[in-house]
Amino acid sequence: MKVSEQIWKERMSNLMERRKVKSDNHHLNSPVADYTSHLKKIKIGSRLLDVGCGDMKVRNMIPSHVVYLGIDAFPVSSEVVKMKIEECYFSDRSFDTIICFAVLDGMEDLDKAFFHLKRICNKNILILTGIDIPVDQYHTFTITEEMLFNYMKGWKTGIKKYLEEKVLLIEFIK
């Protein structure tokens, strides 16, 4: 599943503009934004990759012994590696744990994204994503539960919890 680069860039540009305008308090009291709680639900390995890391706020929520790396197609800091997961160049099984918080429905190529996520992961992938959210000016794909399980065929399911009506937190374990 792929969208054109032009559509992807337009939608991500719209999303970046919306983020500038919207208050950071939008989801503050929501279970969706409680990343610390989400991370406590899983076993984090010694190397963690944060896909679509934004401002890297997750880095301060993980144990200090964990090596953290954040990638984002639109980095907001020089510490963030500019990279789309679809074009990932990391070696196989480079990271024990991968987190994808609110990024899947903004991918350019879901097939490539999941190929690389599974390839570079050694232990588990934690996904926080909207489910059945229609494609619009901010989203490139409608993610469904069935789609996630198809992409992650052969992996076990760890935690699975709807945080809000259409927001799923799910862990896949190798």
Side-chain angles (χ1 to χ4, degrees), residues 67-132:
V67 176
Y68 172 94
L69 182 65
I71 66 170
D72 204 301
F74 304 97
V76 296
S77 158
S78 61
E79 295 178 282
V80 175
V81 175
K82 181 179 173 75
M83 180 190 303
K84 296 190 300 186
I85 191 65
E86 299 98 313
E87 298 172 352
C88 176
Y89 55 77
F90 298 121
S91 301
D92 293 358
R93 298 185 313 275
S94 295
F95 299 93
D96 293 320
T97 302
I98 298 175
I99 59 172
C100 299
F101 290 172
V103 297
L104 290 180
D105 55 7
M107 294 287 165
E108 183 180 351
D109 187 328
L110 276 175
D111 295 338
K112 282 185 180 178
F114 276 97
F115 170 80
H116 287 296
L117 286 169
K118 294 186 301 185
R119 180 183 65 75
I120 65 173
C121 184
N122 194 36
K123 294 184 179 180
N124 59 338
I125 300 172
L126 184 62
I127 295 170
L128 172 69
T129 190
I131 296 291
D132 298 321

Coordinates of all heavy atoms in Angstrom, one line a residue, residues 67-132:
V67 N 19.7 2.3 25.3 CA 20.2 3.2 24.2 C 19.0 3.6 23.4 O 18.3 2.7 22.8 CB 21.2 2.4 23.4 CG1 21.7 3.3 22.2 CG2 22.4 2.0 24.2
Y68 N 18.8 4.9 23.3 CA 17.6 5.4 22.6 C 18.0 6.1 21.3 O 19.1 6.8 21.2 CB 16.9 6.5 23.4 CG 15.8 7.3 22.7 CD1 14.5 6.9 22.8 CD2 16.1 8.4 22.0 CE1 13.5 7.6 22.2 CE2 15.1 9.1 21.3 CZ 13.8 8.7 21.4 OH 12.8 9.4 20.8
L69 N 17.3 5.9 20.2 CA 17.5 6.6 18.9 C 16.1 6.9 18.4 O 15.2 6.1 18.3 CB 18.2 5.7 17.9 CG 18.5 6.3 16.6 CD1 19.5 7.5 16.7 CD2 19.0 5.3 15.6
G70 N 16.0 8.2 18.0 CA 14.8 8.7 17.4 C 15.0 9.0 15.9 O 16.0 9.6 15.5
I71 N 14.0 8.6 15.1 CA 14.0 8.9 13.7 C 12.7 9.6 13.3 O 11.7 9.3 13.9 CB 14.3 7.7 12.7 CG1 13.1 6.7 12.8 CG2 15.6 7.0 13.0 CD1 13.1 5.6 11.7
D72 N 12.8 10.5 12.4 CA 11.6 11.2 11.9 C 11.9 11.8 10.5 O 13.0 12.2 10.2 CB 11.3 12.4 12.9 CG 9.8 12.8 12.8 OD1 9.4 13.2 11.8 OD2 9.2 12.7 13.9
A73 N 10.9 11.7 9.7 CA 11.0 12.3 8.3 C 11.1 13.8 8.3 O 11.7 14.4 7.4 CB 9.8 11.8 7.5
F74 N 10.6 14.4 9.4 CA 10.6 15.8 9.6 C 11.2 16.2 11.0 O 10.5 16.5 11.9 CB 9.2 16.4 9.5 CG 8.6 16.0 8.2 CD1 7.7 15.0 8.1 CD2 8.9 16.7 7.0 CE1 7.1 14.6 6.9 CE2 8.3 16.4 5.8 CZ 7.4 15.3 5.7
P75 N 12.5 16.0 11.1 CA 13.1 16.2 12.4 C 13.0 17.6 13.0 O 13.1 18.6 12.2 CB 14.6 15.9 12.2 CG 14.8 15.8 10.8 CD 13.5 15.7 10.1
V76 N 12.7 17.7 14.3 CA 12.6 19.0 14.9 C 13.8 19.4 15.7 O 13.9 20.4 16.4 CB 11.3 19.1 15.8 CG1 10.1 19.0 14.9 CG2 11.3 18.1 16.9
S77 N 14.8 18.5 15.7 CA 16.0 18.7 16.5 C 17.2 18.0 15.7 O 17.0 17.1 15.0 CB 15.9 18.0 17.9 OG 17.1 17.7 18.4
S78 N 18.4 18.6 16.0 CA 19.6 18.0 15.3 C 19.9 16.6 15.9 O 20.7 15.8 15.3 CB 20.8 18.9 15.5 OG 21.1 19.1 16.8
E79 N 19.3 16.3 17.1 CA 19.5 14.9 17.7 C 18.7 13.8 17.0 O 19.0 12.7 17.1 CB 19.1 15.0 19.1 CG 20.0 15.9 20.0 CD 19.5 15.9 21.4 OE1 18.5 16.5 21.7 OE2 20.1 15.1 22.2
V80 N 17.7 14.2 16.2 CA 16.8 13.3 15.6 C 17.5 12.9 14.2 O 17.9 13.8 13.5 CB 15.4 13.9 15.3 CG1 14.6 13.0 14.5 CG2 14.8 14.2 16.6
V81 N 17.5 11.6 13.9 CA 18.0 11.1 12.6 C 16.9 11.3 11.6 O 15.8 10.9 11.8 CB 18.4 9.6 12.7 CG1 18.8 9.1 11.3 CG2 19.5 9.4 13.7
K82 N 17.2 12.1 10.5 CA 16.2 12.3 9.5 C 16.1 11.0 8.6 O 17.1 10.7 7.9 CB 16.7 13.5 8.6 CG 15.7 13.8 7.5 CD 16.1 15.0 6.6 CE 15.3 15.2 5.4 NZ 14.0 15.8 5.7
M83 N 15.0 10.4 8.8 CA 14.8 9.1 8.1 C 13.3 8.7 8.1 O 12.7 8.9 9.1 CB 15.6 8.0 8.7 CG 15.5 6.7 8.1 SD 16.2 5.3 9.0 CE 17.9 5.8 9.2
K84 N 12.9 8.2 6.9 CA 11.6 7.6 6.9 C 11.8 6.1 7.1 O 12.8 5.5 6.6 CB 10.9 7.8 5.5 CG 10.6 9.2 5.1 CD 9.8 9.3 3.9 CE 10.4 8.8 2.7 NZ 9.6 9.0 1.4
I85 N 11.0 5.5 7.9 CA 11.2 4.0 8.1 C 11.1 3.2 6.8 O 11.8 2.2 6.7 CB 10.1 3.5 9.2 CG1 10.5 2.1 9.6 CG2 8.7 3.5 8.7 CD1 11.8 2.0 10.4
E86 N 10.4 3.7 5.9 CA 10.3 3.1 4.6 C 11.7 3.0 3.9 O 11.9 2.2 2.9 CB 9.3 3.8 3.6 CG 7.9 3.8 4.1 CD 7.6 5.1 4.8 OE1 8.4 5.6 5.6 OE2 6.5 5.7 4.5
E87 N 12.6 3.9 4.2 CA 13.9 3.9 3.6 C 15.0 3.5 4.6 O 16.2 4.0 4.5 CB 14.2 5.3 3.0 CG 13.2 5.6 1.9 CD 13.3 7.1 1.5 OE1 14.0 7.9 2.1 OE2 12.6 7.4 0.5
C88 N 14.6 2.8 5.6 CA 15.5 2.4 6.7 C 16.8 1.7 6.2 O 16.7 0.7 5.5 CB 14.7 1.6 7.7 SG 15.7 1.0 9.0
Y89 N 17.9 2.1 6.8 CA 19.2 1.5 6.4 C 19.8 0.7 7.6 O 21.0 0.3 7.4 CB 20.2 2.5 5.8 CG 20.4 3.7 6.7 CD1 21.3 3.6 7.8 CD2 19.8 4.9 6.4 CE1 21.5 4.7 8.6 CE2 20.0 6.0 7.2 CZ 20.9 5.9 8.3 OH 21.1 7.0 9.1
F90 N 19.2 0.6 8.7 CA 19.7 -0.1 9.8 C 19.9 -1.6 9.5 O 19.1 -2.2 8.7 CB 18.9 0.1 11.1 CG 18.8 1.5 11.5 CD1 17.6 2.1 11.6 CD2 19.9 2.2 11.8 CE1 17.5 3.4 12.1 CE2 19.8 3.6 12.3 CZ 18.6 4.2 12.4
S91 N 20.8 -2.3 10.2 CA 21.0 -3.7 10.0 C 19.9 -4.5 10.6 O 19.2 -4.0 11.5 CB 22.3 -4.1 10.7 OG 23.4 -3.4 10.1
D92 N 19.8 -5.7 10.1 CA 18.8 -6.6 10.7 C 18.9 -6.7 12.2 O 20.1 -6.8 12.7 CB 18.9 -8.0 10.1 CG 18.5 -8.1 8.6 OD1 18.2 -7.0 8.0 OD2 18.7 -9.1 8.0
R93 N 17.8 -6.8 12.9 CA 17.7 -6.9 14.4 C 18.6 -5.9 15.1 O 19.2 -6.2 16.1 CB 18.1 -8.4 14.8 CG 17.1 -9.4 14.2 CD 17.4 -10.8 14.6 NE 18.7 -11.3 14.6 CZ 19.3 -11.8 13.5 NH1 18.7 -11.9 12.4 NH2 20.5 -12.3 13.6
S94 N 18.7 -4.7 14.6 CA 19.5 -3.6 15.3 C 18.9 -3.1 16.6 O 19.6 -2.6 17.4 CB 19.6 -2.4 14.3 OG 20.3 -2.7 13.2
F95 N 17.5 -3.3 16.8 CA 16.9 -2.7 17.9 C 16.1 -3.8 18.6 O 15.4 -4.6 18.0 CB 16.0 -1.6 17.5 CG 16.7 -0.4 16.9 CD1 16.9 -0.4 15.5 CD2 17.3 0.5 17.7 CE1 17.6 0.6 15.0 CE2 18.1 1.5 17.1 CZ 18.2 1.6 15.7
D96 N 16.1 -3.9 19.9 CA 15.3 -4.8 20.7 C 13.9 -4.4 20.7 O 13.0 -5.2 20.4 CB 15.8 -4.9 22.2 CG 17.2 -5.5 22.3 OD1 17.5 -6.5 21.5 OD2 18.0 -5.0 23.1
T97 N 13.6 -3.1 20.9 CA 12.3 -2.6 21.0 C 12.1 -1.4 20.0 O 13.0 -0.6 19.9 CB 12.0 -2.1 22.4 OG1 12.2 -3.2 23.3 CG2 10.6 -1.5 22.6
I98 N 11.0 -1.4 19.3 CA 10.6 -0.3 18.4 C 9.3 0.2 18.9 O 8.4 -0.6 19.2 CB 10.6 -0.8 17.0 CG1 12.0 -1.3 16.5 CG2 10.1 0.4 16.1 CD1 12.0 -1.9 15.1
I99 N 9.2 1.5 18.9 CA 7.9 2.1 19.2 C 7.5 3.0 18.0 O 8.3 3.7 17.4 CB 7.9 2.9 20.5 CG1 8.9 4.1 20.5 CG2 8.1 2.0 21.7 CD1 8.8 5.0 21.7
C100 N 6.2 2.9 17.7 CA 5.6 3.7 16.7 C 4.3 4.4 17.2 O 3.3 3.7 17.3 CB 5.2 2.8 15.5 SG 6.5 1.9 14.7
F101 N 4.5 5.6 17.7 CA 3.3 6.3 18.4 C 2.8 7.3 17.4 O 3.4 8.3 17.1 CB 3.8 6.9 19.7 CG 4.1 6.0 20.8 CD1 4.6 6.5 22.0 CD2 3.8 4.6 20.7 CE1 4.9 5.6 23.0 CE2 4.1 3.8 21.8 CZ 4.7 4.3 22.9
A102 N 1.6 7.0 16.9 CA 0.8 8.0 16.1 C 1.6 8.3 14.8 O 1.6 9.5 14.4 CB 0.5 9.2 16.9
V103 N 2.1 7.3 14.1 CA 2.8 7.6 12.9 C 2.4 6.7 11.7 O 2.5 7.1 10.5 CB 4.3 7.4 13.0 CG1 4.9 8.4 13.9 CG2 4.8 6.0 13.4
L104 N 1.8 5.6 12.0 CA 1.4 4.6 10.9 C 0.5 5.2 9.8 O 0.6 4.9 8.7 CB 0.9 3.3 11.4 CG 1.9 2.4 12.2 CD1 1.2 1.2 12.7 CD2 3.1 2.1 11.3
D105 N -0.5 6.0 10.3 CA -1.5 6.5 9.3 C -1.0 7.7 8.5 O -1.7 8.2 7.8 CB -2.8 6.8 10.0 CG -2.7 7.8 11.2 OD1 -1.6 8.3 11.4 OD2 -3.7 8.0 11.9
G106 N 0.3 8.0 8.7 CA 0.9 9.0 7.9 C 2.1 8.5 7.1 O 3.0 9.3 6.7
M107 N 2.2 7.2 6.9 CA 3.3 6.7 6.1 C 3.1 6.9 4.6 O 1.9 7.1 4.2 CB 3.4 5.1 6.4 CG 3.8 4.8 7.8 SD 5.5 5.1 8.0 CE 5.6 5.0 9.8
E108 N 4.2 6.8 3.9 CA 4.1 6.9 2.4 C 3.9 5.5 1.8 O 3.1 5.3 0.9 CB 5.4 7.5 1.9 CG 5.3 7.7 0.4 CD 6.6 8.3 -0.2 OE1 7.5 8.7 0.6 OE2 6.7 8.3 -1.4
D109 N 4.5 4.5 2.4 CA 4.4 3.1 1.9 C 4.3 2.2 3.1 O 5.4 1.9 3.7 CB 5.6 2.8 1.0 CG 5.6 1.5 0.3 OD1 5.0 0.6 0.9 OD2 6.1 1.4 -0.8
L110 N 3.1 1.7 3.4 CA 3.0 0.8 4.6 C 3.7 -0.5 4.4 O 4.2 -1.1 5.4 CB 1.5 0.5 4.8 CG 0.8 1.6 5.7 CD1 -0.7 1.3 5.8 CD2 1.4 1.7 7.1
D111 N 3.7 -1.1 3.2 CA 4.4 -2.4 3.0 C 5.8 -2.3 3.3 O 6.4 -3.1 4.0 CB 4.2 -2.8 1.5 CG 2.8 -3.1 1.1 OD1 1.9 -3.4 2.0 OD2 2.5 -3.1 -0.1
K112 N 6.5 -1.2 2.8 CA 7.9 -1.1 3.1 C 8.1 -0.7 4.6 O 9.1 -1.2 5.2 CB 8.5 0.1 2.3 CG 8.8 -0.3 0.9 CD 9.5 0.8 0.1 CE 9.8 0.5 -1.3 NZ 10.5 1.6 -2.0
A113 N 7.3 0.0 5.2 CA 7.4 0.4 6.6 C 7.4 -0.9 7.4 O 8.3 -1.1 8.3 CB 6.3 1.4 7.0
F114 N 6.4 -1.7 7.3 CA 6.3 -2.9 8.1 C 7.4 -3.9 7.7 O 7.9 -4.6 8.6 CB 4.9 -3.6 7.9 CG 3.9 -3.0 8.8 CD1 3.0 -2.0 8.4 CD2 3.8 -3.4 10.2 CE1 2.1 -1.5 9.2 CE2 2.9 -2.8 11.0 CZ 2.0 -1.9 10.6
F115 N 7.8 -4.0 6.5 CA 9.0 -4.8 6.1 C 10.2 -4.4 7.0 O 10.8 -5.3 7.6 CB 9.3 -4.7 4.6 CG 10.6 -5.4 4.3 CD1 10.7 -6.7 4.1 CD2 11.8 -4.6 4.1 CE1 11.9 -7.3 3.8 CE2 13.0 -5.2 3.8 CZ 13.0 -6.6 3.6
H116 N 10.5 -3.1 7.0 CA 11.7 -2.7 7.8 C 11.5 -2.8 9.3 O 12.4 -3.1 10.0 CB 12.1 -1.3 7.4 CG 12.7 -1.2 6.0 ND1 13.9 -1.8 5.7 CD2 12.2 -0.6 4.8 CE1 14.2 -1.6 4.4 NE2 13.2 -0.9 3.9
L117 N 10.3 -2.5 9.8 CA 10.1 -2.6 11.2 C 10.4 -4.0 11.7 O 11.1 -4.2 12.7 CB 8.6 -2.2 11.5 CG 8.3 -0.8 11.5 CD1 6.7 -0.6 11.6 CD2 9.0 0.0 12.6
K118 N 9.8 -5.0 11.0 CA 10.0 -6.4 11.3 C 11.5 -6.8 11.1 O 12.0 -7.6 11.9 CB 9.1 -7.3 10.6 CG 7.6 -7.1 10.9 CD 6.7 -8.1 10.3 CE 6.7 -8.1 8.8 NZ 5.7 -8.9 8.1
R119 N 12.1 -6.3 10.1 CA 13.5 -6.7 9.8 C 14.5 -6.2 10.9 O 15.4 -6.9 11.3 CB 13.9 -6.1 8.4 CG 15.3 -6.4 8.0 CD 15.6 -5.8 6.6 NE 15.6 -4.3 6.7 CZ 16.6 -3.6 7.2 NH1 17.7 -4.2 7.8 NH2 16.6 -2.3 7.2
I120 N 14.3 -5.0 11.3 CA 15.3 -4.4 12.2 C 15.0 -4.7 13.7 O 15.8 -4.3 14.6 CB 15.5 -2.9 12.0 CG1 14.2 -2.1 12.3 CG2 16.0 -2.6 10.6 CD1 14.4 -0.6 12.3
C121 N 13.8 -5.3 14.0 CA 13.4 -5.5 15.4 C 13.9 -6.9 15.8 O 13.8 -7.9 15.1 CB 11.9 -5.4 15.5 SG 11.3 -5.7 17.2
N122 N 14.4 -6.9 17.0 CA 14.9 -8.1 17.6 C 13.9 -8.8 18.6 O 13.9 -10.0 18.8 CB 16.2 -7.9 18.3 CG 16.9 -9.2 18.7 OD1 16.9 -10.1 17.9 ND2 17.6 -9.2 19.8
K123 N 13.0 -7.9 19.3 CA 12.2 -8.5 20.3 C 10.7 -8.0 20.2 O 9.8 -8.9 20.1 CB 12.7 -8.1 21.7 CG 14.0 -8.8 22.0 CD 14.5 -8.5 23.4 CE 15.8 -9.2 23.6 NZ 16.3 -9.0 24.9
N124 N 10.4 -6.7 20.2 CA 9.0 -6.3 20.3 C 8.8 -4.9 19.6 O 9.7 -4.1 19.6 CB 8.5 -6.3 21.7 CG 9.2 -5.4 22.6 OD1 10.4 -5.1 22.4 ND2 8.6 -5.0 23.7
I125 N 7.6 -4.7 19.1 CA 7.2 -3.5 18.5 C 5.9 -3.0 19.2 O 5.0 -3.8 19.3 CB 6.9 -3.6 17.0 CG1 8.2 -4.1 16.3 CG2 6.4 -2.3 16.4 CD1 7.9 -4.5 14.8
L126 N 5.9 -1.8 19.7 CA 4.8 -1.2 20.4 C 4.2 -0.2 19.5 O 4.9 0.8 19.1 CB 5.2 -0.6 21.7 CG 4.0 -0.1 22.6 CD1 3.0 -1.2 23.0 CD2 4.5 0.6 23.8
I127 N 2.9 -0.3 19.1 CA 2.2 0.6 18.2 C 1.1 1.3 18.9 O 0.3 0.6 19.6 CB 1.7 -0.2 17.0 CG1 2.9 -0.8 16.2 CG2 0.8 0.7 16.1 CD1 2.5 -1.8 15.1
L128 N 1.0 2.6 18.8 CA -0.1 3.4 19.2 C -0.7 4.0 17.9 O 0.1 4.8 17.3 CB 0.3 4.4 20.2 CG -0.7 5.5 20.6 CD1 -1.8 4.8 21.5 CD2 -0.1 6.6 21.4
T129 N -1.9 3.7 17.6 CA -2.4 4.2 16.3 C -3.9 4.4 16.3 O -4.6 3.7 17.1 CB -2.0 3.3 15.1 OG1 -2.3 3.9 13.9 CG2 -2.7 1.9 15.2
G130 N -4.4 5.3 15.5 CA -5.8 5.4 15.3 C -6.3 4.2 14.4 O -5.5 3.7 13.6
I131 N -7.5 3.7 14.7 CA -8.1 2.6 14.0 C -9.3 3.1 13.3 O -10.2 3.8 13.9 CB -8.4 1.4 15.0 CG1 -7.1 0.9 15.6 CG2 -9.2 0.3 14.3 CD1 -6.2 0.1 14.7
D132 N -9.4 2.8 12.0 CA -10.6 3.1 11.2 C -10.8 4.6 11.1 O -11.9 5.1 11.0 CB -11.9 2.5 11.7 CG -11.8 0.9 11.7 OD1 -11.3 0.4 10.7 OD2 -12.3 0.3 12.6

